[in-house]
Amino acid sequence: MKRVSKQEKLFIKEGLIMANIKDIAKMAGVSVTTVSRVLNDYPYVSAEKAEAVRQAMEKCNYQRNINAVHLSKGRTFLIGVVVPFSNHPYFGLLIEGIANAALNNNYKLVLIQTNYEEEKEVEALTMLKDKQIDALIICSRICDWGIIKEFIEYGPIVLCEDAREKNVSCTFVDHYKSFSSALHYLYGKGHSRIGYCIGRQSGTNSEQRSAAYTRFLEENSLSFNPDFIFSGCFNFEDGEKIVTDLMRMKERPTALLVTSDQVAAGILTCCKEHGIFIPEDLAIMGFDNQPISKVMHITTLEIPLVEVGRKLFYQAMDGERVSHEEIAVKFIERETV
Amino acid sequence: MKRVSKQEKLFIKEGLIMANIKDIAKMAGVSVTTVSRVLNDYPYVSAEKAEAVRQAMEKCNYQRNINAVHLSKGRTFLIGVVVPFSNHPYFGLLIEGIANAALNNNYKLVLIQTNYEEEKEVEALTMLKDKQIDALIICSRICDWGIIKEFIEYGPIVLCEDAREKNVSCTFVDHYKSFSSALHYLYGKGHSRIGYCIGRQSGTNSEQRSAAYTRFLEENSLSFNPDFIFSGCFNFEDGEKIVTDLMRMKERPTALLVTSDQVAAGILTCCKEHGIFIPEDLAIMGFDNQPISKVMHITTLEIPLVEVGRKLFYQAMDGERVSHEEIAVKFIERETV
DNA sequence: ATAATTTATGAAACGCGTTTCAAAGCAAGA
DNA sequence: TCTTGCTTTGAAACGCGTTTCATAAATTAT
């Protein structure tokens, strides 16, 4: 046991060296147990001893080492959030909802931006295993379910996709249902050449949309044209490429179902520049009801993303129970169809 | 010292109870020091002992407790990032730059969304003090410098504002200079009734812009009209309110300097709907050169935000040195002036 | 009056990994 | 031959806080 010199005692008292709980105990004339009790608002400490502890802490500007607390308690009050991109309105809104709920519950976010690389997703899962985060929310992923399920035993994992057949919690939109209803709405408006724009073609959400589209075509005896499917559509600026592609096509869709209002807004803006009239030449329907859709009068389906984020957080906190929450999608009719 | 029962040994071997370093040492027939040496790629371990350790770890699916590692080593490989909003393109790009650099250097981000509340900013600073994060990047703040400087002793703090006169590192745009040059450009194009749109009126960056505007008016003997300054402009949809305000004004600016391309795009879109011609009736100049500015042909000043984020990260990693990096702003002329 | 409960305190063990220092053997250099 | 440096290993101390269990006194309930 290293003996503390007089010089070090002086430094600790003046806050030049960080004091530890033993220093505080000695200075206050109590045991480390009593100091810990004061720190953790435990009832059985006399008022005078509690005050002595508080004064010692203030004199030394004491701050406990949080890693020691985490080791002892087995919790870090950090929650991991996996997103493919930070700079994207959809995920920005999810993060906002999660972040606000987290701060209201004394949790902090660890943001893991994956760029849709499996290795990064596994890093996030490993943080759960090595106890660096108390829970993990996966907003979008590329890794197989088989990988995720190996980590469930280490802590709560929550998905932002339909996981009703899996033993993890989720908050999700039934994309098959909402995509189908949007397709039927467009069909009811007289459209039979309908295309759609998505971010990527893999993933649970995208598979559901694809299935809905295929089913829709069959039900209505419509032929499938692969050129009517546009992927890689994430941001406003991606609308430009879609319009360029449309201009080149002999046979064009007369309606586009676009899985992001931002992209829909980009398409709309570029169509105006190229003399394509909306909705006469091309009807456009968005998703999410982001603020930009109101400004530009885009017909859309509303998903309350901040609220989804909030629910994801509370599911992650409820580590005892697995729950599956479906989010209702609301139809917002404006001027683009 | 608690004696481990035969049942517990079996559970550890089968991975039903998490093994600790002592279990691995016993199973491999070495000391915990040797196990730690293997874990940390220390050279002085014989090949056969290293292999025995590795096999024991694999058999138990061993994962060390990262909080114990952090306690021992005094580092968590977490970096705090303070942003006012998650859902905003400017901060989204900064975070993207920081996040990519962080992952390339084995660091993870702890995202603290403050909604411009001082209390939240102090929470972030406290994480530095209690050793939960190794460094802190403040992208935008509301708290006084007096608060920040009390935390410098606990670890590296990096600001995204001009902090050349302070003992913290920063990566910044000289907003006085760039705002001045933009004002002079508009003046040179014949405009004397020039307004500007900003997010908020407080903060280092905003003060510099305000000073540049005041100086510009004086130099050119132009009168100050408070109605020409629009604040609360963060997103595309905020453009709508600005255009509504413009329509009500008797005396309107003939040019607008807008501190975000997103807002400029929103203004542009709404002007078109209200019969205001760009640039004939109103010239618009943006900032950042976000992708949307190219699609909509907005004249702008380019700030490479992803690169700024990257630089902020590397400054935070260089805890030994204080550095101040000015970012050059590049003029991009398009069609809105 | 006796038993049970509450209040208050502290020594020591506990969580789990890292590091220091001692010890021993071997090889190279003076 | 002696000294120095390298290689290898492990016991014990260290980091810093939390919790358990023992002890004693005071208060309340039977």
Side-chain angles (χ1 to χ4, degrees):
Chain A
M1 183 61 80
K2 189 175 143 195
R3 189 170 285 278
V4 182
S5 72
K6 279 191 176 179
Q7 184 64 251
E8 285 178 315
K9 280 182 188 170
L10 186 67
F11 283 174
I12 290 167
K13 215 178 245 183
E14 298 184 355
L16 298 180
I17 296 179
M18 288 194 77
N20 64 27
I21 199 169
K22 279 187 221 149
D23 301 321
I24 301 296
K26 180 162 291 186
M27 210 175 299
V30 299
S31 70
V32 294
T33 312
T34 302
V35 177
S36 190
R37 287 195 180 111
V38 175
L39 284 171
N40 293 289
D41 294 311
Y42 194 76
Y44 298 150
V45 185
S46 73
E48 70 181 3
K49 290 198 169 170
E51 185 55 33
V53 170
R54 285 196 195 99
Q55 289 194 3
M57 290 197 299
E58 188 173 334
K59 181 162 291 192
C60 299
N61 193 24
Y62 172 73
Q63 183 78 29
R64 61 191 161 176
N65 184 321
I66 203 69
N67 295 305
V69 178
H70 295 160
L71 179 60
S72 296
K73 292 194 168 186
R75 290 173 77 185
T76 59
F77 291 96
L78 295 173
I79 185 165
V81 180
V82 172
V83 292
F85 317 115
S86 309
N87 174 37
H88 189 279
Y90 179 91
F91 297 113
L93 286 166
L94 281 181
I95 291 171
E96 183 179 322
I98 297 169
N100 283 329
L103 272 192
N104 288 336
N105 290 273
N106 208 35
Y107 266 76
K108 304 275 188 314
L109 259 65
V110 178
L111 188 72
I112 300 110
Q113 174 182 294
T114 61
N115 302 306
Y116 278 128
E117 293 173 24
E118 179 175 298
E119 183 186 305
K120 302 282 168 47
E121 291 172 11
V122 173
E123 277 182 38
L125 290 159
T126 302
M127 286 176 86
L128 193 60
K129 187 178 178 182
D130 69 16
K131 299 181 198 297
Q132 197 169 12
I133 52 177
D134 296 341
L136 183 65
I137 296 172
I138 303 180
C139 297
S140 190
R141 65 181 166 106
I142 198 175
C143 68
D144 289 337
W145 167 249
I147 291 180
I148 296 178
K149 78 178 179 189
E150 300 297 325
F151 288 86
I152 295 175
E153 65 188 281
Y154 301 113
I157 299 175
V158 185
L159 301 183
C160 190
E161 63 188 68
D162 190 345
R164 277 176 291 188
E165 296 174 2
K166 300 183 168 80
N167 56 332
V168 290
S169 294
C170 65
T171 293
F172 67 101
V173 169
D174 185 329
H175 286 285
Y176 184 96
K177 215 181 342 180
S178 59
F179 219 63
S180 288
S181 68
L183 288 165
H184 285 292
Y185 169 72
L186 291 173
Y187 191 67
K189 284 278 186 174
H191 297 282
S192 52
R193 298 210 308 274
I194 304 175
Y196 71 94
C197 309
I198 53 172
R200 53 175 187 145
Q201 299 204 322
S202 56
T204 306
N205 295 345
S206 303
E207 281 158 16
Q208 289 183 336
R209 290 176 179 131
S210 178
Y213 187 71
T214 302
R215 183 76 189 136
F216 169 76
L217 294 183
E218 284 170 9
E219 280 177 350
N220 298 289
S221 307
L222 304 172
S223 58
F224 175 71
N225 184 343
D227 290 338
F228 284 10
I229 306 185
F230 304 84
S231 62
C233 312
F234 291 105
N235 297 294
F236 185 102
E237 57 271 13
D238 298 319
E240 191 172 33
K241 179 167 183 301
I242 292 164
V243 175
T244 304
D245 290 348
L246 286 174
M247 302 283 294
R248 285 206 198 103
M249 287 163 69
K250 278 199 190 165
E251 189 191 18
R252 297 179 191 168
T254 60
L256 270 184
L257 191 48
V258 188
T259 59
S260 157
D261 288 331
Q262 294 281 338
V263 178
I267 293 169
L268 183 55
T269 300
C270 295
C271 281
K272 283 178 178 174
E273 295 197 351
H274 291 85
I276 301 180
F277 291 91
I278 309 294
E280 295 89 353
D281 297 332
L282 179 70
I284 294 177
M285 190 166 172
F287 266 80
D288 301 343
N289 193 31
Q290 296 189 333
I292 195 171
S293 69
K294 187 174 180 192
V295 176
M296 299 189 79
H297 318 293
I298 298 170
T299 295
T300 189
L301 287 163
E302 177 183 70
I303 306 179
L305 292 168
V306 174
E307 177 64 16
V308 172
R310 205 185 64 85
K311 283 182 187 298
L312 289 169
F313 176 80
Y314 285 107
Q315 283 178 314
M317 289 299 101
D318 185 4
E320 306 258 301
R321 254 181 6 120
V322 170
S323 62
H324 303 116
E325 294 228 31
E326 182 174 352
I327 295 289
V329 176
K330 187 176 163 196
F331 180 56
I332 310 283
E333 185 163 30
R334 293 196 182 104
E335 298 173 15
T336 52
V337 178
Chain B
M1 184 61 79
K2 190 174 142 200
R3 191 170 286 277
V4 184
S5 72
K6 281 195 179 180
Q7 185 65 252
E8 285 178 315
K9 282 182 187 171
L10 186 66
F11 283 173
I12 290 167
K13 220 179 242 185
E14 298 186 354
L16 297 179
I17 295 179
M18 287 195 75
N20 64 27
I21 200 169
K22 279 185 220 152
D23 302 320
I24 300 297
K26 180 162 291 189
M27 210 174 302
V30 298
S31 70
V32 293
T33 314
T34 302
V35 177
S36 190
R37 287 193 180 113
V38 174
L39 285 172
N40 293 290
D41 295 313
Y42 195 75
Y44 299 151
V45 185
S46 74
E48 69 181 3
K49 290 199 171 174
E51 185 55 32
V53 170
R54 285 196 195 99
Q55 290 193 1
M57 289 196 299
E58 188 173 334
K59 182 162 291 192
C60 300
N61 194 24
Y62 173 73
Q63 183 78 27
R64 61 192 163 177
N65 185 321
I66 202 70
N67 294 304
V69 177
H70 294 161
L71 180 59
S72 296
K73 291 192 167 186
R75 290 172 77 184
T76 59
F77 292 95
L78 294 174
I79 185 165
V81 180
V82 172
V83 293
F85 317 113
S86 309
N87 174 37
H88 188 279
Y90 179 91
F91 297 113
L93 287 165
L94 280 182
I95 292 170
E96 182 179 323
I98 297 169
N100 284 328
L103 274 192
N104 288 336
N105 288 274
N106 209 35
Y107 265 78
K108 304 278 189 317
L109 260 68
V110 177
L111 189 70
I112 300 109
Q113 174 181 294
T114 61
N115 303 305
Y116 278 130
E117 292 172 27
E118 178 175 299
E119 184 185 303
K120 303 281 168 49
E121 291 172 12
V122 174
E123 277 181 38
L125 290 160
T126 301
M127 288 177 83
L128 193 60
K129 187 178 180 181
D130 69 16
K131 299 180 196 295
Q132 197 169 13
I133 53 178
D134 295 341
L136 183 63
I137 296 173
I138 302 180
C139 296
S140 189
R141 64 181 168 107
I142 198 174
C143 68
D144 288 337
W145 166 251
I147 293 180
I148 296 177
K149 77 178 180 188
E150 299 299 323
F151 288 85
I152 293 175
E153 66 187 280
Y154 301 113
I157 299 176
V158 185
L159 301 183
C160 190
E161 64 186 67
D162 190 345
R164 277 175 291 187
E165 296 175 6
K166 300 182 169 79
N167 57 331
V168 291
S169 295
C170 65
T171 294
F172 67 101
V173 169
D174 186 330
H175 285 284
Y176 184 95
K177 216 183 336 183
S178 59
F179 219 63
S180 290
S181 69
L183 289 166
H184 285 293
Y185 169 74
L186 291 172
Y187 191 66
K189 284 278 187 173
H191 297 283
S192 53
R193 296 208 312 271
I194 303 175
Y196 71 93
C197 309
I198 54 169
R200 52 175 187 150
Q201 300 205 320
S202 56
T204 305
N205 296 343
S206 301
E207 280 158 17
Q208 288 182 339
R209 290 177 176 129
S210 177
Y213 187 70
T214 303
R215 183 76 188 133
F216 168 78
L217 294 182
E218 283 169 12
E219 281 178 353
N220 298 288
S221 307
L222 303 172
S223 59
F224 174 72
N225 184 341
D227 292 337
F228 283 12
I229 305 186
F230 305 85
S231 63
C233 310
F234 293 104
N235 296 296
F236 185 101
E237 55 271 14
D238 297 322
E240 190 171 36
K241 180 172 185 298
I242 292 164
V243 175
T244 304
D245 289 350
L246 285 174
M247 303 283 296
R248 286 205 196 101
M249 287 162 73
K250 278 201 193 162
E251 189 189 20
R252 297 180 192 168
T254 61
L256 271 184
L257 192 47
V258 188
T259 59
S260 157
D261 287 331
Q262 293 282 339
V263 178
I267 294 169
L268 183 55
T269 299
C270 294
C271 283
K272 283 179 179 175
E273 296 197 353
H274 290 85
I276 301 179
F277 292 91
I278 309 293
E280 295 88 350
D281 297 331
L282 180 70
I284 295 177
M285 190 166 170
F287 265 82
D288 301 343
N289 194 30
Q290 295 190 332
I292 197 170
S293 69
K294 187 172 179 194
V295 177
M296 299 189 77
H297 319 293
I298 298 170
T299 295
T300 190
L301 287 164
E302 178 183 67
I303 305 178
L305 290 169
V306 174
E307 176 65 17
V308 172
R310 204 184 66 85
K311 282 183 186 299
L312 288 168
F313 176 80
Y314 285 106
Q315 281 177 313
M317 288 299 100
D318 184 6
E320 308 257 302
R321 253 180 7 119
V322 170
S323 63
H324 303 117
E325 294 225 31
E326 183 173 351
I327 294 289
V329 175
K330 186 174 163 194
F331 181 55
I332 311 285
E333 185 162 29
R334 292 196 180 105
E335 299 173 16
T336 53
V337 178

